Amino acid sequence: MVKQTKTAEASLEALHRIFTVPEAPHSTLGKIEQAISQNLNSFLQDHITSSDYSLTDIEKDFSNPHIPEQPAFVSDHTEFLLEKLVAQSVHTSSPRFIGHMTSALPYFLMPLSKIMIGLNQNTVKIETSKAFTPLERQVLGMLHNMIYQREEAFYQSWMHSAEHSLGAFCSGGTIANITALWVARNAALRADGDFRGVAEEGLFRAMRHYGYDDLAILVSERGHYSLKKAADVLGIGRQSLIAIPTDANNRICIDKLETKLAELKARNVKVFAIVGVAGTTETGNIDPLDKLADIAGREGIHFHVDAAWGGASLMSQNQRPKLKGIERADSVTIDAHKQLYVPMGAGMVIFKDPSLVSAIEHHADYILRKGSKDLGSHTLEGSRSGMAMLLFASLNIIGREGYQLLIDQSVDKARYFADLIQTQPDFELISEPELCLLTYRYVPEVVRAALEKASPAQKDAIHSLLNDLTVFVQKHQREAGNTFVSRTTLKPEPLERRETRVFRVVLANPLTTHAILQEVLVEQREIAKRSTIAYPELLTLANSIVTA
Amino acid sequence: MVKQTKTAEASLEALHRIFTVPEAPHSTLGKIEQAISQNLNSFLQDHITSSDYSLTDIEKDFSNPHIPEQPAFVSDHTEFLLEKLVAQSVHTSSPRFIGHMTSALPYFLMPLSKIMIGLNQNTVKIETSKAFTPLERQVLGMLHNMIYQREEAFYQSWMHSAEHSLGAFCSGGTIANITALWVARNAALRADGDFRGVAEEGLFRAMRHYGYDDLAILVSERGHYSLKKAADVLGIGRQSLIAIPTDANNRICIDKLETKLAELKARNVKVFAIVGVAGTTETGNIDPLDKLADIAGREGIHFHVDAAWGGASLMSQNQRPKLKGIERADSVTIDAHKQLYVPMGAGMVIFKDPSLVSAIEHHADYILRKGSKDLGSHTLEGSRSGMAMLLFASLNIIGREGYQLLIDQSVDKARYFADLIQTQPDFELISEPELCLLTYRYVPEVVRAALEKASPAQKDAIHSLLNDLTVFVQKHQREAGNTFVSRTTLKPEPLERRETRVFRVVLANPLTTHAILQEVLVEQREIAKRSTIAYPELLTLANSIVTA
């Protein structure tokens, strides 16, 4: 053993203490823990300051590239984190912040998270996760059952089978979508005669073997950007993710899909996946899944549904009909960190057929041995935490009926807000809520009147100014820090498919009240009227048209 | 708004309470929180029971595929989790469990994790993470600096630049390796003339454009299994991940690499990445990185170093020379949840050149807009938690010198254990520790004597029985639950490259003592001697050879 100086030994002794001596209740961290346990919301309210600190200011606090040589006191560093990090973070659980898909968390998840982190299991293999492996398999089974509602015997046969898997738990919807399309690609280009499959021989040889001129994935133009990433990673190429136009309700146009399919077939392009969107990120609309299932079934194409957002709605018997056809999908993506109300980092892909994952099965000698029940044989990720525990607890503690109430109230609230917008003389609803998302914009009364009479060129000019105004309002509203909505760009049919900037709201937080929604409109109207950008020109232009 | 019955309203009211009313200090969860805060280790010791419950037994507890209709009391469900999940999980932080790469966690990370989860930031974009974005960029900068030690101005230019990134934080080493190879593939098959690059047009067109007959990635036979997964996902094919033999110290044979390179060049195969391993998963050995850098540089090939395990050793000036050459790598994978002692789910890939990530840059309209500093533009994952905060805190609180002590003591302890094994008459050291990993096996004294005299056929027979014995001992030791080592299969040169089952230990836990290591050998010897499998035949065979 290397001889150590007394100082090094003493330091090592001191270091051991961070592993063995807990933070005292009256230490800075001890007090924070208690504050969070007692009232998370007021802890966040007290510590997140909506200062006029810009991103550039914050960057100055986080710009030292040197790992400090000397250790720091926990309390000192905690003070730094409170002042510089927590103070400048986003209050994602605030009922007044209705622009994100992250929402409030149930209280019981805080102590449960602590257990999960303290246990520090690694779910890649049973050796480092033991009961967490069956638990995760059960969670996947419960979600499978929510979607596919298969008979009891089905789950008893496959839920804990070593060679099968009802899905994969992962860090989020992007990895879930990539996993689903990876499975679809490998299944379409599977082993055949001398050819040992794309997994083994690669895409280049696969294409030569099958004689296709190209590959393609079809999805509506509202598909999530992660699908493009998937097409890139998987070697298909982004251009082969083909966007099909949507109708006035942001749903894929079936006739345009059929036309594209026929065209690709004629060009010898193999379509290996059709992706249905169940809850678009921007508007929350749901594709006609049953019709997509018909087409995919007829053509023998893998049918994937990206229900990262909308999947949770299956919990409600009232919303379930909106997703009709999802039970025919070969694979479904669902994010638990969205409307299943668990913390960030909990995505899932669920497979209808438990043997589908064999297309991506991996083994190694020191891990994931053949015949083992190690979860890592069927996941894109390797080492993973015991996150499934938090979803498991939520499913049990909230229960299906509890989730139904949470989902229904979010949809009701979106309906309320849509109605509220429509009764305002100076707000315009752009997309109707199907789930709890909607989009709208601010259009001053005189501008609405002017649009009735405007020439095409005038319409273009007004439209462009309205876009600038929307961007201005959203930005200043965010900076003020009182309420928050997000924004996106749509090409709505009623607006002649012009690129339209819109406010986007997601009403998932159960604590958001009608009063808050009313306040949001009041605040936006005020910001708009104070705007030195676009607003004055808009009024001048509109007045000139109206009085012409 | 939909009219609700009074019951539904009352239930919704009750549901709101889980978001607004904290767990009482005297509730089941409240008490658990306190127990964890006061003494995590004794909480785990008290609650993780090493029962003779088999996996099949556990599966029975986790086999109901139905999401319960009705909500459950938090306390009832917590009791269930304690009894069925926590009791049957793995005590990964026990100093007596020396078979995993997961180890004990510093205490301060428990309350900090709670802050992180309570804040529930989404680091995919600034809008939902604010200061967490600069913080994560700083962490990547600190790790970049640890590896590449560039000048101050370099970090001030690139750390917070919108179009650049010094790396990507991700859920683990697998995603980090995939990201690195994705970058390497896209950079090798970049846009060129009319060809818009593999990201856009896909692998099939890329190969036609560049005129290659195949692609390849080269790595030693000890490379991590995630690289095979990467080759599959990226469309290269597993067969194109080419394993180069290793020497007696589990390091890649440079001459065999050169031969393979020449052969592939002659066959018009484009090698787009050479992967050096810095800390093999099985033995902890480090490839000659400087020589690999020479070759990659000469050939213009992307040089990636998988330092998921060994990267942390750069913290120690005493270990750093072992990784010489890593500072010439184009990309490096490091897992913080390994020897940087943060909880599961913290991997990173670091890029030498901050513009390399442009090869995988993604944008969308409602998120990751061009020019934004959103981290999501350069990551494989989408939504991600604020995990980087925990590494940031550890780097600051432990400090470089603190990490140096932790790393050095782990290496010293491995040296101690190797020496201890070598002084035993009945244990055989298989791989010498270079970092804190080593492998060994149990070989009864008489068997060692017999091996000196045995014929090749007898050697084979003994070898096969020893393999069975190793598997038996490891399995029974694990089941007894007192201590734990893992096992793997190697083909050691001194054993004529026979497939050899070995015990594998990882001595990262700072709380593991010399006494525990002595105990491990005592326990293994006892289990071996009680074995009804292999042991009696081994003795009989050995005795017959020795007395022949």
Side-chain angles (χ1 to χ4, degrees):
Chain A
M1 192 171 160
V2 173
K3 214 182 154 204
Q4 289 178 323
T5 65
K6 203 178 168 185
T7 333
E9 264 168 30
S11 307
L12 196 54
E13 182 61 35
L15 262 178
H16 278 194
R17 296 182 54 207
I18 65 171
F19 291 89
T20 51
V21 182
E23 297 301 317
H26 294 292
S27 66
T28 312
L29 267 179
K31 281 187 244 163
I32 289 177
E33 277 231 73
Q34 287 157 38
I36 293 179
S37 296
Q38 278 155 24
N39 194 335
L40 172 63
N41 201 44
S42 87
F43 170 82
L44 296 175
Q45 213 101 55
D46 292 349
H47 287 89
I48 300 178
T49 59
S50 79
S51 72
D52 45 7
Y53 234 52
S54 73
L55 188 58
T56 316
D57 292 326
I58 301 173
E59 284 170 356
K60 284 188 192 123
D61 293 329
F62 295 99
S63 60
N64 184 351
H66 302 287
I67 298 166
E69 282 287 301
Q70 300 296 327
F73 285 112
V74 172
S75 53
D76 290 349
H77 187 65
T78 304
E79 297 287 357
F80 173 87
L81 289 177
L82 281 183
E83 194 187 325
K84 301 297 188 183
L85 180 72
V86 178
Q88 300 301 331
S89 57
V90 179
H91 193 341
T92 56
S93 59
S94 163
R96 311 173 71 82
F97 282 38
I98 54 173
H100 313 132
M101 289 182 154
T102 23
S103 146
L105 296 175
Y107 256 105
F108 62 82
L109 288 177
M110 296 293 123
L112 288 178
S113 299
K114 196 164 158 186
I115 299 178
M116 189 228 356
I117 287 177
L119 284 169
N120 206 26
Q121 305 292 288
N122 182 349
T123 46
V124 71
K125 53 178 175 172
I126 285 171
E127 243 179 39
T128 49
S129 64
K130 224 174 149 192
F132 274 76
T133 292
L135 172 136
E136 189 169 302
R137 284 179 175 268
Q138 184 185 355
V139 168
L140 294 169
M142 288 164 121
L143 273 285
H144 189 286
N145 195 11
M146 178 179 85
I147 299 165
Y148 298 107
Q149 305 183 311
R150 294 291 304 268
E151 68 287 0
E152 199 69 27
F154 175 90
Y155 297 102
Q156 297 321 321
S157 300
W158 308 123
M159 192 189 281
H160 295 294
S161 160
E163 275 75 37
H164 299 79
S165 179
L166 299 176
F169 209 94
C170 51
S171 65
T174 296
I175 299 292
N177 279 338
I178 294 175
T179 305
L181 294 173
W182 180 26
V183 163
R185 186 201 69 182
N186 284 11
L189 304 172
R190 69 175 70 88
D192 169 48
D194 279 351
F195 175 65
R196 288 172 303 135
V198 65
E200 198 57 39
E201 298 202 26
L203 259 180
F204 190 50
R205 286 165 201 271
M207 296 294 279
R208 281 194 301 207
H209 174 81
Y210 280 100
Y212 302 130
D213 280 323
D214 214 338
L215 298 170
I217 304 167
L218 305 186
V219 65
S220 95
E221 58 184 334
R222 295 264 78 81
H224 190 253
Y225 72 93
S226 63
L227 298 168
K228 239 182 187 168
K229 219 190 272 188
D232 172 359
V233 174
L234 293 170
I236 313 303
R238 294 177 209 169
Q239 70 176 20
S240 296
L241 179 82
I242 297 175
I244 308 293
T246 47
D247 63 18
N249 292 314
N250 297 295
R251 298 181 192 128
I252 193 167
C253 294
I254 293 294
D255 54 337
K256 287 177 182 151
L257 173 67
E258 290 280 20
T259 313
K260 181 56 77 178
L261 268 174
E263 179 201 318
L264 293 170
K265 215 187 267 185
R267 280 176 38 213
N268 189 31
V269 175
K270 168 73 178 172
V271 177
F272 72 91
I274 292 177
V275 181
V277 187
T280 75
T281 312
E282 293 162 281
T283 63
N285 292 108
I286 301 162
D287 280 338
L289 303 179
D290 244 338
K291 287 185 189 155
L292 292 178
D294 288 342
I295 295 170
R298 184 192 74 208
E299 304 286 332
I301 297 171
H302 184 105
F303 177 37
H304 175 64
V305 173
D306 181 357
W309 176 256
S313 301
L314 291 169
M315 288 284 190
S316 164
Q317 282 160 359
N318 303 314
Q319 311 304 328
R320 193 174 176 97
K322 296 179 184 168
L323 289 98
K324 185 151 185 333
I326 196 170
E327 72 286 354
R328 297 167 67 195
D330 294 299
S331 55
V332 176
T333 288
I334 296 184
D335 268 345
H337 57 229
K338 295 196 167 96
Q339 225 177 351
L340 291 174
Y341 302 96
V342 308
M344 195 52 60
M348 280 164 290
V349 56
I350 308 291
F351 295 105
K352 182 163 72 176
D353 173 353
S355 65
L356 247 186
V357 289
S358 67
I360 57 164
E361 202 166 288
H362 281 255
H363 296 285
D365 207 34
Y366 50 101
I367 191 177
L368 323 177
R369 300 181 186 100
K370 273 198 183 175
S372 84
K373 295 185 175 183
D374 294 339
L375 291 164
S377 326
H378 301 121
T379 57
L380 180 60
E381 290 165 284
S383 296
R384 284 185 304 108
S385 74
M387 199 72 190
M389 167 188 163
L390 302 187
L391 178 54
F392 182 78
S394 298
L395 293 174
N396 279 285
I397 292 173
I398 299 177
R400 194 202 58 78
E401 289 187 2
Y403 273 113
Q404 169 161 316
L405 285 168
L406 287 171
I407 304 281
D408 286 355
Q409 64 90 32
S410 75
V411 176
D412 292 346
K413 212 178 287 169
R415 188 65 261 160
Y416 165 83
F417 196 38
D419 293 346
L420 184 68
I421 289 164
Q422 281 174 317
T423 57
Q424 310 298 308
D426 53 354
F427 279 95
E428 181 182 21
L429 186 69
I430 302 289
S431 64
E432 282 278 353
E434 189 170 353
L435 297 175
C436 69
L437 274 76
L438 59 84
T439 62
Y440 65 104
R441 63 175 179 171
Y442 179 71
V443 185
E445 266 188 276
V446 61
V447 177
R448 293 183 93 161
L451 277 168
E452 304 277 311
K453 297 175 65 182
S455 69
Q458 285 170 328
K459 271 191 186 169
D460 283 347
I462 290 175
H463 212 82
S464 164
L465 287 166
L466 282 174
N467 280 349
D468 295 346
L469 185 61
T470 303
V471 172
F472 179 92
V473 170
Q474 192 266 349
K475 194 163 169 274
H476 286 254
Q477 185 182 2
R478 189 189 70 196
E479 284 169 4
N482 180 44
T483 58
F484 171 77
V485 304
S486 53
R487 72 176 159 86
T488 190
T489 305
L490 298 173
K491 292 181 184 173
E493 215 167 68
L495 299 179
E496 290 141 8
R497 294 200 143 260
R498 283 187 179 86
E499 285 215 343
T500 306
R501 313 253 179 225
V502 294
F503 304 126
R504 164 180 171 271
V505 300
V506 185
L507 293 166
N509 194 323
L511 307 179
T512 302
T513 59
H514 290 181
I516 290 173
L517 298 176
Q518 292 157 18
E519 231 181 275
V520 165
L521 297 186
V522 171
E523 189 179 359
Q524 291 185 316
R525 180 181 292 122
E526 275 169 16
I527 295 171
K529 287 190 173 169
R530 276 187 285 112
S531 170
T532 49
I533 291 182
Y535 190 72
E537 297 101 289
L538 257 178
L539 289 202
T540 311
L541 176 57
N543 277 320
S544 77
I545 296 171
V546 171
T547 57
Chain B
M1 191 171 163
V2 172
K3 216 185 151 201
Q4 289 178 322
T5 66
K6 204 178 167 185
T7 332
E9 265 168 29
S11 307
L12 197 54
E13 183 61 35
L15 262 178
H16 278 193
R17 296 183 54 208
I18 64 171
F19 291 88
T20 50
V21 181
E23 298 301 318
H26 294 294
S27 66
T28 312
L29 267 179
K31 281 188 244 163
I32 290 177
E33 277 232 72
Q34 288 157 38
I36 293 179
S37 296
Q38 279 154 22
N39 194 335
L40 172 64
N41 201 44
S42 87
F43 170 82
L44 297 175
Q45 213 103 53
D46 292 350
H47 287 90
I48 299 179
T49 59
S50 79
S51 73
D52 45 7
Y53 234 51
S54 73
L55 188 58
T56 317
D57 292 326
I58 301 174
E59 284 170 356
K60 284 188 192 121
D61 293 328
F62 295 99
S63 60
N64 184 352
H66 301 287
I67 298 165
E69 282 287 299
Q70 300 296 326
F73 286 112
V74 172
S75 54
D76 289 350
H77 186 66
T78 304
E79 297 286 358
F80 173 88
L81 289 177
L82 281 183
E83 194 187 325
K84 301 298 187 183
L85 180 72
V86 178
Q88 301 300 330
S89 57
V90 180
H91 194 340
T92 55
S93 59
S94 164
R96 313 172 70 82
F97 282 38
I98 54 173
H100 312 133
M101 290 182 153
T102 23
S103 146
L105 296 175
Y107 257 103
F108 62 81
L109 288 177
M110 296 295 121
L112 287 178
S113 298
K114 197 164 156 183
I115 299 178
M116 192 239 331
I117 287 177
L119 285 169
N120 206 25
Q121 305 292 289
N122 182 349
T123 46
V124 70
K125 53 177 174 171
I126 285 171
E127 242 178 39
T128 49
S129 65
K130 223 175 151 190
F132 274 77
T133 292
L135 172 136
E136 189 169 303
R137 283 179 176 267
Q138 184 185 354
V139 168
L140 294 168
M142 287 164 121
L143 274 285
H144 189 286
N145 195 13
M146 178 179 83
I147 300 166
Y148 298 106
Q149 306 183 309
R150 293 292 304 270
E151 68 288 0
E152 198 70 27
F154 175 90
Y155 296 101
Q156 297 320 322
S157 299
W158 308 122
M159 192 189 281
H160 295 294
S161 158
E163 276 76 35
H164 300 78
S165 179
L166 299 177
F169 210 93
C170 52
S171 65
T174 296
I175 298 294
N177 279 337
I178 294 175
T179 304
L181 294 173
W182 179 25
V183 163
R185 186 201 68 183
N186 285 11
L189 304 173
R190 69 176 69 87
D192 169 47
D194 278 352
F195 175 65
R196 288 172 304 134
V198 65
E200 198 57 39
E201 298 202 27
L203 259 180
F204 189 50
R205 285 166 202 271
M207 297 293 280
R208 280 193 301 206
H209 174 81
Y210 281 100
Y212 302 129
D213 280 323
D214 214 339
L215 297 170
I217 304 167
L218 305 187
V219 66
S220 95
E221 58 183 336
R222 294 264 79 80
H224 190 252
Y225 72 92
S226 63
L227 298 168
K228 239 182 186 168
K229 218 190 272 188
D232 172 358
V233 174
L234 293 170
I236 314 300
R238 293 177 209 171
Q239 69 176 22
S240 297
L241 179 81
I242 298 176
I244 307 294
T246 46
D247 63 18
N249 292 314
N250 297 294
R251 300 182 191 125
I252 193 166
C253 294
I254 293 293
D255 54 337
K256 287 177 182 151
L257 173 67
E258 290 280 20
T259 313
K260 181 56 80 177
L261 268 173
E263 179 202 317
L264 293 170
K265 215 186 265 184
R267 279 176 39 214
N268 189 31
V269 176
K270 168 74 179 174
V271 177
F272 72 90
I274 292 177
V275 181
V277 187
T280 76
T281 313
E282 294 162 280
T283 64
N285 292 110
I286 301 161
D287 280 337
L289 302 179
D290 244 337
K291 287 185 189 155
L292 291 178
D294 288 342
I295 295 171
R298 185 191 73 208
E299 303 286 332
I301 297 171
H302 183 106
F303 177 37
H304 175 64
V305 173
D306 182 356
W309 176 257
S313 301
L314 291 169
M315 289 284 190
S316 163
Q317 282 159 0
N318 303 314
Q319 311 305 326
R320 192 173 177 98
K322 296 178 184 168
L323 288 98
K324 187 155 182 329
I326 196 170
E327 71 286 355
R328 298 168 65 195
D330 294 299
S331 54
V332 176
T333 288
I334 296 184
D335 268 345
H337 58 228
K338 295 196 167 97
Q339 226 178 349
L340 291 174
Y341 301 95
V342 309
M344 195 52 60
M348 280 164 291
V349 56
I350 307 291
F351 295 105
K352 181 164 73 177
D353 173 353
S355 65
L356 249 186
V357 288
S358 67
I360 58 164
E361 203 167 288
H362 280 256
H363 295 285
D365 206 34
Y366 50 101
I367 190 176
L368 323 177
R369 297 181 188 101
K370 273 196 183 176
S372 84
K373 296 186 175 182
D374 294 338
L375 292 163
S377 324
H378 302 121
T379 57
L380 180 60
E381 291 165 282
S383 296
R384 283 185 305 109
S385 73
M387 201 70 191
M389 167 189 163
L390 302 187
L391 178 54
F392 181 78
S394 298
L395 293 174
N396 279 286
I397 292 173
I398 299 178
R400 194 201 58 77
E401 290 187 2
Y403 273 113
Q404 169 161 316
L405 285 168
L406 288 171
I407 304 281
D408 286 355
Q409 65 91 31
S410 76
V411 176
D412 292 346
K413 212 178 286 170
R415 188 65 259 161
Y416 167 83
F417 196 38
D419 293 345
L420 184 69
I421 289 165
Q422 282 175 316
T423 58
Q424 308 299 307
D426 53 354
F427 279 95
E428 181 182 22
L429 187 68
I430 302 290
S431 64
E432 283 278 353
E434 189 170 353
L435 297 176
C436 69
L437 274 76
L438 58 84
T439 62
Y440 66 105
R441 62 176 180 172
Y442 179 72
V443 186
E445 267 187 275
V446 61
V447 177
R448 294 183 91 161
L451 278 168
E452 305 277 311
K453 297 175 62 181
S455 69
Q458 285 170 327
K459 271 191 186 169
D460 284 347
I462 290 176
H463 213 82
S464 164
L465 287 166
L466 282 173
N467 281 348
D468 295 346
L469 185 61
T470 303
V471 172
F472 179 92
V473 171
Q474 192 266 351
K475 194 162 168 278
H476 286 254
Q477 185 182 2
R478 189 187 70 196
E479 283 169 4
N482 181 43
T483 57
F484 171 78
V485 304
S486 51
R487 70 174 160 88
T488 190
T489 305
L490 297 174
K491 292 180 185 174
E493 216 167 66
L495 299 178
E496 291 141 7
R497 293 201 143 259
R498 282 188 179 86
E499 285 215 341
T500 307
R501 313 253 180 224
V502 295
F503 305 125
R504 163 181 172 270
V505 301
V506 185
L507 293 167
N509 194 324
L511 306 179
T512 302
T513 59
H514 289 182
I516 290 173
L517 298 176
Q518 292 157 17
E519 231 181 275
V520 165
L521 296 186
V522 171
E523 189 180 0
Q524 290 185 315
R525 180 181 291 123
E526 276 169 14
I527 295 172
K529 287 190 172 168
R530 276 187 284 109
S531 170
T532 50
I533 290 179
Y535 190 71
E537 298 101 289
L538 257 177
L539 291 202
T540 312
L541 177 56
N543 277 320
S544 76
I545 295 170
V546 171
T547 56

